[in-house]
Amino acid sequence: MSELNRRDPRRSWILRNRLHPRHDELNAELNGQPTRGPTGLLRKNPRPQWQYGPSGLRRLDRLNMSGAAGVTQLSSKKRNEQVVLPLHQVVNPQAWIAVWLQTSGGRLTSHCKDVLGQAQQLAVARKQTTAVLGVLCGELKESVEGAGIDRLLQVQGPEYDGYQPEAWSQLCAQVENNLKPLYWLLPDSGESAELGRRLGVVLGERPATGVWKLEADTLLARNGAGKRDIRRPWSRVMLLLEECALPCGEYRYEAGPLEPEQKLELSAPISSRLEDLGQVAVDPAEIPLAEAEFILSGGNGVHDWPQFHQAATLLGASEGASRVAVDDGFMPRNRQVGATGTWVSARVYIAVGISGAVQHLQGIGKCEKVVAINQDADCDMVKRASLTTIGDSSEIIAELMKLVEAKSAQEVSNAA
């Protein structure tokens, strides 16, 4: 009688169930081979495989590179652990890629960080030592060591403050005459878009606008009101769209000043024919949610709506709401945030009493800083937030309003 290899159904079931206590043990007996099903085919784990990158951010491990015995083990690195990134240095740069730094409230915009990511890709692709030079008029209120700036040229003064496109153009012309950058990269939005076109006239270069992808010899740019793409050669002045590249996040960059032999002798700016009368005060309630930079959003956890409206007025924030609050009649439909409402990209988004449904989290996917005020420490909004306060929303908002009023009173007394 011939001896046949019989399949153990329980063993096969354990190999298919990665949550079983003996799953790893039986996988080790298979010499580290991935799990195979009853038919002998490799089984793919449908659940997402996660790992932590050097920056401490959780990433989807699509290739299962960190797996052992066919199972990806989650790294023991905690998200709140301080991660020290390696330092990226460029000693004695031989060439430059200049980037005009677009700021909002003294902080780099997400659009500018995308442009800096593209500049670093160009710098790394060149064989010679190439550094990214950030050109900035004004002050910075945050560290930029992770943005991708190797050298920083920062000028301040009343002649550069506010809206001064002519002074900015002259500054860029002086940088061009002294350092001869290989390329000028600018965000194609707001004042940077106008400066890029002015700079193209000053340098006698035809700027490439609406650029979203750089290839070996050509670039792709949006044209026809964003409905079609055109292919054209590279230009020394390129205005890039958002998400043209991933922002830098794997290294710390020096962002140091220019060396003494490379410092610029900046001449006094020309007398501008434009007069900046300052920013026009705008009621936050009249700003469309898609354009608002500071949003205070309420949900089912808000019990005192008059207090909520008062806090939004005191903070100078635009009001938003979850679908539950809108359906209950507390907020108008045009203030609903989420996939079924308005997609927002605010710099600061305060979610008060919002648990974090999937549609709502999709709508705030592009928000930079999310602050959660909630009583449930395990809700999805708390997991999404950068800062969380657990407690009754009415009490927390009341304390927040007291702090804002105290700071406003102190500023008034200091000004007097």
Side-chain angles (χ1 to χ4, degrees), residues 282-336:
V282 179
D283 186 2
E286 298 179 359
I287 301 177
L289 277 179
E291 302 176 6
E293 293 190 352
F294 184 20
I295 299 177
L296 179 67
S297 189
N300 193 37
V302 177
H303 307 295
D304 190 348
W305 283 99
Q307 182 196 48
F308 176 85
H309 299 312
Q310 184 181 0
T313 303
L314 185 62
L315 294 173
S318 301
E319 294 185 1
S322 65
R323 181 172 182 175
V324 175
V326 173
D327 291 343
D328 291 343
F330 294 111
M331 293 286 285
R333 183 66 61 182
N334 63 345
R335 288 291 160 181
Q336 179 181 334

Side-chain angles (χ1 to χ4, degrees), residues 40-233:
L41 298 178
L42 293 177
R43 296 180 60 87
K44 179 181 178 182
N45 183 8
R47 297 178 177 83
Q49 310 294 307
W50 300 99
Q51 64 175 347
Y52 283 93
S55 60
L57 299 179
R58 192 172 68 164
R59 295 179 170 182
L60 186 62
D61 186 11
R62 300 183 184 278
L63 300 180
N64 197 18
M65 299 298 293
S66 61
V71 179
T72 300
Q73 300 293 335
L74 191 64
S75 172
S76 60
K77 186 184 296 296
K78 298 181 180 179
R79 295 189 62 182
N80 58 358
E81 181 180 345
Q82 198 70 17
V83 179
V84 179
L85 300 178
L87 179 63
H88 178 275
Q89 291 181 304
V90 180
V91 182
N92 298 326
Q94 303 299 319
W96 301 92
I97 296 177
V99 178
W100 179 263
L101 301 182
Q102 183 186 60
T103 59
S104 176
R107 295 173 175 82
L108 297 179
T109 63
S110 59
H111 192 173
C112 182
K113 293 179 180 179
D114 294 342
V115 176
L116 287 169
Q118 181 64 77
Q120 281 294 338
Q121 291 183 17
L122 295 179
V124 172
R126 298 189 59 86
K127 298 185 183 299
Q128 57 180 320
T129 305
T130 306
V132 174
L133 172 66
V135 183
L136 171 67
C137 288
E139 62 175 351
L140 281 174
K141 297 182 180 178
E142 65 177 357
S143 174
V144 293
E145 65 175 8
I149 305 172
D150 297 315
R151 299 290 187 273
L152 177 63
L153 174 61
Q154 183 178 6
V155 295
Q156 300 184 33
E159 62 272 15
Y160 294 108
D161 293 340
Y163 177 69
Q164 303 292 344
E166 296 175 340
W168 300 340
S169 300
Q170 186 184 26
L171 173 63
C172 294
Q174 294 179 27
V175 175
E176 171 69 22
N177 295 333
N178 286 269
L179 300 180
K180 306 292 183 184
L182 299 174
Y183 303 103
W184 280 91
L185 304 183
L186 301 92
D188 195 2
S189 63
E191 298 170 351
S192 299
E194 179 188 354
L195 176 62
R197 290 158 174 82
R198 286 176 175 267
L199 183 60
V201 174
V202 172
L203 303 183
E205 296 280 347
R206 179 190 174 192
T209 62
V211 180
W212 65 274
K213 184 178 182 181
L214 297 179
E215 296 181 344
D217 300 321
T218 59
L219 57 85
L220 291 177
R222 290 283 161 82
N223 200 351
K227 295 182 179 180
R228 65 188 183 95
D229 293 334
I230 61 173
R231 188 181 300 273
R232 56 162 292 184

Side-chain angles (χ1 to χ4, degrees), residues 249-411:
E250 301 297 328
Y251 297 95
R252 291 181 294 116
Y253 296 85
E254 296 177 281
L258 295 173
E259 282 72 12
E261 62 274 8
Q262 298 166 338
K263 284 188 176 179
L264 305 180
E265 295 296 334
L266 300 178
S267 60
I270 60 177
S271 58
S272 176
R273 295 169 293 179
L274 302 176
E275 181 182 359
D276 185 10
L277 300 179
Q279 296 182 351
V280 179
V282 179
D283 186 2
E286 298 179 359
I287 301 177
L289 277 179
E291 302 176 6
E293 293 190 352
F294 184 20
I295 299 177
L296 179 67
S297 189
N300 193 37
V302 177
H303 307 295
D304 190 348
W305 283 99
Q307 182 196 48
F308 176 85
H309 299 312
Q310 184 181 0
T313 303
L314 185 62
L315 294 173
S318 301
E319 294 185 1
S322 65
R323 181 172 182 175
V324 175
V326 173
D327 291 343
D328 291 343
F330 294 111
M331 293 286 285
R333 183 66 61 182
N334 63 345
R335 288 291 160 181
Q336 179 181 334
V337 177
T340 57
T342 303
W343 296 64
V344 297
S345 56
R347 296 183 64 86
V348 178
Y349 184 85
I350 303 180
V352 183
I354 300 177
S355 60
V358 175
Q359 295 84 352
H360 196 91
L361 295 178
Q362 289 175 345
I364 64 173
K366 289 188 176 182
C367 293
E368 294 187 18
K369 302 294 182 181
V370 177
V371 180
I373 300 177
N374 209 296
Q375 288 185 323
D376 185 4
D378 297 325
C379 67
D380 293 332
M381 182 60 72
V382 170
K383 299 175 183 178
R384 167 66 174 85
S386 305
L387 176 66
T388 302
T389 303
I390 303 299
D392 183 77
S393 61
S394 300
E395 298 178 358
I396 295 174
I397 291 179
E399 293 297 326
L400 178 61
M401 293 171 62
K402 291 180 181 179
L403 292 175
V404 174
E405 291 173 349
K407 184 177 180 181
S408 300
Q410 183 180 2
E411 291 179 352

